[in-house]
Amino acid sequence: MNIPADDLNRHLVLASADDPAAVHISLVGNTYTILLSAEDTAGRYSLIDMFVPPGGGPPPHRHDFEESFTVLEGEIEATFRGETVTVRTGQLIQIPANAPHQFRNNSAQPARLLCICSPAGQEGMFREIGVEVPSRTTVPPKPEAAMLESFKARAQALAPKYKTEFIPPTH
């Protein structure tokens, strides 16, 4: 076996979602804190702490990378290829690349997820279209209609760059 030499240009990363220097991004009714980015992992994966208040969650979509969600607190309803399952604290779901999916917090309590995207890159889209908020548990502001339309237009325009496709809802 030929294992490459240690890359001394890479460093240990210590991250905390509650670090005062952490960047928290409001997006699609959630607050995302990027714990590890492409820069931290040589592009191998990203790790995102997700605060999903009641009613939060992204629209139906698919993308060209693997994604997994571990529910740390609360629960979400995940729809994968049209089938909906409830994912509770301590459970994990894995979404294969290119598969249509979405999740939503239909409970009355906030949910907290850890999301891994592999390879990394999706966190770049979050940074480009999201709005910075003060903390990991900041409830995202309710966007006005004009702001929502602007957000949707930016997301659609950036989707090809991040190998993402938004899918019309089925109902």
Side-chain angles (χ1 to χ4, degrees), residues 45-138:
Y45 69 97
S46 60
L47 180 64
I48 303 158
D49 186 300
M50 298 180 159
F51 175 75
V52 185
H61 63 283
R62 63 190 204 105
H63 37 63
D64 189 26
F65 56 85
E66 299 284 312
E67 187 173 42
S68 67
F69 299 95
T70 302
V71 179
L72 300 178
E73 299 170 8
E75 69 181 43
I76 58 167
E77 287 188 1
T79 302
F80 173 75
R81 296 182 183 149
E83 182 182 339
T84 300
V85 297
T86 300
V87 188
R88 294 182 172 86
T89 300
Q91 294 182 313
L92 173 140
I93 56 171
Q94 162 63 29
I95 308 294
N98 304 310
H101 65 282
Q102 74 179 104
F103 68 83
R104 185 162 182 81
N105 181 354
N106 286 328
S107 78
Q109 300 301 315
R112 184 178 184 191
L113 319 173
L114 277 182
C115 173
I116 296 174
C117 299
S118 179
Q122 184 70 6
E123 73 280 10
M125 183 173 184
F126 295 163
R127 286 180 177 139
E128 284 198 60
I129 62 175
V131 175
E132 199 167 323
V133 293
S135 76
R136 176 186 71 75
T137 57
T138 299

